[in-house]
């Protein structure tokens, strides 16, 4: 299959492909999505095939107006908490899980009785959804397990020849996937941290729980509330190792291991002190910038074929830092070295 590369003037071409059951890479403010008509199970199945995604991992349904939830009959009832959150954070990087109706194909919900819904803020994403006149199921447009794509080039690197088209809408602003919160039962619970922070969600709803799988590896035999959280994920080919400790300890540890096959995923302030290859996420403490650069940095490291080991600091869990922490700890397969104990 030849993959078309479209620009912003070709939204109608993308929409036509989607209406006809095609699969198209689309820009959103979080990461690039691999979109198909969410109400067409056959079209959605093509997404799983192109990504190599396990069929038990459900997809997020993207809409272009809060009213689309009722217009397409996606959920049984809209909880009051969803209306409140939508008022504050939609359109934007927040996904809400609610009880689904039978309109949602099994391919989308992976057999669960719930559906995840997001209203993205990216104007191109909104225009494509409106032009296709249907909600779009769209997971991140990477091969399953690899770092998510934040540019059209990243999408092509993974998907060229496997999908109908990719629409280039520039680099994604947020850079990590949406925050996922379930409103389907009991106290609202964050299943995946993203651009909308836990602190912001508590500011609106009061009580909000954070699922264990956000920070920790799931114990064997425990069912994942969010199936995506149980897989090794976001990983470059090089081995990622996280270091917990003070800034000078980090630099000393990495420099002691200097070599051609070593790279430091670091901050701007470390660049002069490190004696190995470096890739910087941005200024220390600037978590928004770290999130925006994270996946591009991880993909860039793999382009340098000599690098076998990447050393990164264990990120902070504050604000958007929690999203970076959650992705990096999975990229590292939960491997953290405590520098106070070495
Ligand atoms: P992605 O589409 O790659 O951004 O991944 C979507 C994430 O949302 C995965 O971690 C899924 O497991 C999760 N997800 C989607 N739908 C549901 C749902 N109905 N219940 C729980 N988690 C979901
Ligand atoms: Mg993904």
């Amino acid at each position: 299959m030849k993959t078309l590369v479209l620009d912003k003037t070709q939204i109608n071409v993308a929409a036509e492909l989607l209406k006809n059951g095609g699969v198209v890479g689309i820009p959103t403010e979080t990461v690039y999505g691999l979109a198909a008509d969410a109400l067409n199970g056959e079209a959605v199945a093509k997404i799983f095939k192109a990504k190599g995604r396990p069929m038990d991992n459900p997809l997020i349904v993207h809409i272009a107006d809060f009213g689309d939830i009722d217009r397409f009959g996606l959920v049984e009832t809209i909880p009051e908490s969803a209306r409140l959150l939508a008022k504050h954070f939609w359109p934007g990087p927040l996904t809400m899980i609610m009880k689904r109706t039978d309109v949602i194909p099994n391919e989308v919900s992976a057999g669960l009785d719930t559906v995840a819904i997001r209203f993205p803020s990216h104007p191109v994403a909104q225009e494509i959804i409106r032009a296709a006149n249907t909600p779009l199921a769209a997971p991140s447009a990477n091969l399953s397990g690899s770092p998510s794509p934040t540019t059209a080039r990243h999408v092509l690197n993974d998907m060229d020849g496997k999908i109908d088209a990719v629409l280039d809408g520039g680099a994604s602003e947020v850079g990590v996937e949406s925050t996922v919160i379930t409103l389907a039962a009991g106290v609202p619970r964050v299943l995946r941290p993203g651009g909308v922070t836990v602190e912001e969600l508590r500011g609106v709803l009061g009580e909000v729980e954070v699922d264990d799988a956000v920070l920790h590896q799931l114990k064997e035999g425990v069912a994942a509330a969010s199936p995506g959280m149980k897989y090794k994920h976001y990983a470059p080919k090089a081995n990622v190792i996280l270091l917990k400790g003070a800034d000078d300890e980090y630099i000393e540890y990495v420099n002691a291991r200097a070599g051609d096959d070593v790279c430091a995923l670091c901050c701007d302030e470390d660049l002069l002190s490190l004696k190995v290859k470096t890739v910087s996420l941005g200024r220390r403490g600037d978590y928004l910038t770290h999130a925006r650069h994270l996946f591009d940095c991880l993909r860039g490291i793999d382009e340098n074929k000599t690098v076998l080991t990447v050393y990164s600091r264990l990120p902070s869990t504050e604000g958007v830092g929690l999203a970076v922490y959650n992705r990096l700890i999975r990229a590292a397969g939960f491997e953290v070295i405590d520098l106070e104990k070495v």
Side-chain angles (χ1 to χ4, degrees), residues 3 20 35-36 63 66 96 105 130 173 176 179 184 187 190 196 200 205-207 231 237 282 284 298 306-307 340:
T3 301
N20 290 312
I63 55 175
F66 187 82
M96 302 190 224
R130 278 192 210 108
E173 269 293 305
V176 290
T179 304
V187 177
V190 171
V196 173
E200 287 173 313
L205 290 185
E207 200 184 355
Y231 298 107
K237 293 188 186 74
R284 222 173 258 167
L298 291 179
T306 57
V307 172
E340 276 175 15

Side-chain angles (χ1 to χ4, degrees), residues 32-331:
Y32 271 67
L34 200 56
D37 180 350
L39 307 184
N40 175 347
E42 253 173 64
V44 171
K46 295 180 194 167
I47 296 177
F48 285 88
K49 187 153 178 260
K51 280 180 64 83
R53 181 174 174 109
M55 292 297 288
D56 70 347
N57 194 3
L59 306 182
I60 295 169
V61 173
H62 294 72
I63 55 175
D65 188 87
F66 187 82
D68 283 353
I69 301 177
D70 278 338
R71 183 157 82 97
F72 294 106
L74 305 179
V75 309
E76 278 173 8
T77 44
I78 303 177
E80 208 39 52
S81 52
R83 291 183 196 282
L84 253 175
L85 290 177
K87 227 176 252 159
H88 283 86
F89 304 114
W90 274 6
L94 178 69
T95 296
M96 302 190 224
I97 295 175
M98 302 174 235
K99 281 266 187 301
R100 72 173 175 91
T101 63
D102 291 341
V103 164
I104 304 293
N106 253 324
E107 287 83 353
V108 170
S109 57
L112 301 176
D113 62 354
T114 52
V115 61
I117 301 178
R118 185 166 95 85
F119 176 6
S121 66
H122 198 297
V124 174
Q126 292 183 2
E127 280 183 57
I128 294 174
I129 298 165
R130 278 192 210 108
N133 197 28
T134 183
L136 297 178
S140 49
N142 52 304
L143 288 173
S144 214
S146 70
S148 297
T150 55
T151 65
R153 185 177 63 84
H154 293 165
V155 177
L156 280 174
N157 285 347
D158 282 15
M159 293 294 160
D160 198 12
K162 296 187 171 160
I163 59 174
D164 294 287
V166 57
L167 195 145
D168 190 347
S172 297
E173 269 293 305
V174 179
V176 290
E177 302 83 346
S178 57
T179 304
V180 177
I181 188 168
T182 179
L183 308 171
V187 177
R189 190 154 38 101
V190 171
L191 304 183
R192 177 176 75 183
V196 173
T197 65
V198 174
E199 293 88 337
E200 287 173 313
L201 293 167
R202 287 189 177 138
V204 172
L205 290 185
E207 200 184 355
V208 172
E209 292 174 350
V210 176
D211 198 77
D212 264 358
V214 166
L215 287 166
H216 309 287
Q217 187 162 25
L218 277 175
K219 299 217 172 49
E220 231 165 277
V222 175
S226 172
M229 287 286 114
K230 71 185 178 200
Y231 298 107
K232 175 159 180 174
H233 219 137
Y234 316 112
K237 293 188 186 74
N239 191 26
V240 179
I241 297 175
L242 297 179
L243 303 175
K244 186 177 167 199
D247 295 327
D248 51 339
E249 288 174 327
Y250 166 76
I251 288 164
E252 198 182 314
Y253 186 91
V254 175
N255 283 344
R257 281 153 189 82
D260 255 5
D261 55 347
V262 169
C263 174
L265 182 63
C266 62
C267 299
D268 291 352
E269 290 84 348
D270 309 320
L271 291 172
L272 289 176
S273 318
L274 283 164
K275 298 188 171 56
V276 298
K277 281 187 210 80
T278 50
V279 176
S280 177
L281 289 166
R283 300 279 300 271
R284 222 173 258 167
D286 183 356
Y287 306 132
L288 279 175
T289 303
H290 295 187
R292 188 177 309 133
H293 292 160
L294 176 67
F295 290 134
D296 190 50
C297 287
L298 291 179
R299 283 177 174 261
I301 288 168
D302 268 349
E303 280 169 20
N304 187 328
K305 301 267 187 288
T306 57
V307 172
L308 301 178
T309 307
V310 185
Y311 290 111
S312 166
R313 276 194 193 77
L314 186 67
S316 158
T317 55
E318 240 175 78
V320 178
L322 183 64
V324 176
Y325 180 103
N326 172 270
R327 305 314 187 269
L328 268 178
I329 197 134
R330 279 173 175 72

